[in-house]
Amino acid sequence: LLDEIGYLADLLRTLRPLRFIRESRAFAEWYAGGTAEFAGMALAMLLPAGLKYWGKRIIRRAPPPWINAGLARTVGLTERIREPRHRLRFPSCSQSDTYLSIFSPYYLLKLEVDERATASWGTEVRYPFLDSRLVEFVLSVPWGRRTRDGERKRLLRSAMQGIVPETIRLRRGKGDWTDRTDRALTA
């Protein structure tokens, strides 16, 4: 909800290239990633759906060759890929990105898989950050107030001041076990 790249796209959309570069670098530091990666994601948000489709088609072969061609025709996959991810109009890329972080097909599938997995263990999963009032609030926050200096989840960090210990509130990550996990799996 509060961890989006849409802010960077909004800087470009409002013609603030120097701040875009500075904030992209700051985002990269917070995420321990590359500046070009975040800048590229922000640029991609500004592209029309049709142009994105042709880029995917040329670069990544959309739909990919591993999808059965007959199935792709039956479900109209090519036409569906050409469509924008949503038809709602938002005043900012940040709001659009927040919306997609909740309602994208991937996220909805993830929620369903999580729900079924936890149900198989006799438990029920809850998502307090998906409360409709909180989602509406986050969508109403102007993009320029969502982050500064690349700080991830700035609104949440500010809200938790005095509630959560400072060492936790100000930490930059939770740790990344990807490399260790990959090495263990390949071993």
Side-chain angles (χ1 to χ4, degrees), residues 11 18 25 28 33 62 124 151 173:
L11 288 172
L18 295 177
R25 287 180 182 146
E124 189 174 329
E151 184 178 3

Side-chain angles (χ1 to χ4, degrees), residues 74-176:
T74 302
V75 298
L77 186 58
T78 301
E79 292 75 27
R80 292 169 69 189
I81 292 171
R82 286 184 184 157
E83 292 293 314
R85 294 179 77 188
H86 62 81
R87 296 200 178 281
L88 298 174
R89 306 292 279 168
F90 292 98
S92 72
C93 294
S94 290
Q95 289 170 319
S96 177
D97 193 37
T98 297
Y99 175 85
L100 283 174
S101 73
I102 301 167
F103 294 106
S104 70
Y106 168 77
Y107 194 71
L108 294 173
L109 175 64
K110 180 192 176 310
L111 291 177
E112 185 176 329
V113 168
D114 288 350
E115 182 181 337
R116 289 177 187 222
T118 58
S120 71
W121 300 321
T123 59
E124 189 174 329
V125 67
R126 297 289 186 182
Y127 299 95
F129 285 109
L130 296 182
D131 181 276
S132 62
R133 294 164 294 190
L134 182 58
V135 171
E136 288 173 8
F137 169 73
V138 171
L139 284 171
S140 72
V141 174
W143 70 267
R145 295 186 178 244
R146 288 175 170 236
T147 192
R148 186 179 304 120
D149 300 324
E151 184 178 3
R152 297 174 74 183
K153 303 181 182 184
R154 182 173 168 260
L155 293 173
L156 180 60
R157 290 171 191 278
S158 296
M160 293 294 106
Q161 189 169 7
I163 298 170
V164 173
E166 290 297 292
T167 54
I168 294 171
R169 188 178 75 85
L170 299 176
R171 72 180 179 191
R172 290 185 169 240
K174 296 177 189 171
D176 182 5

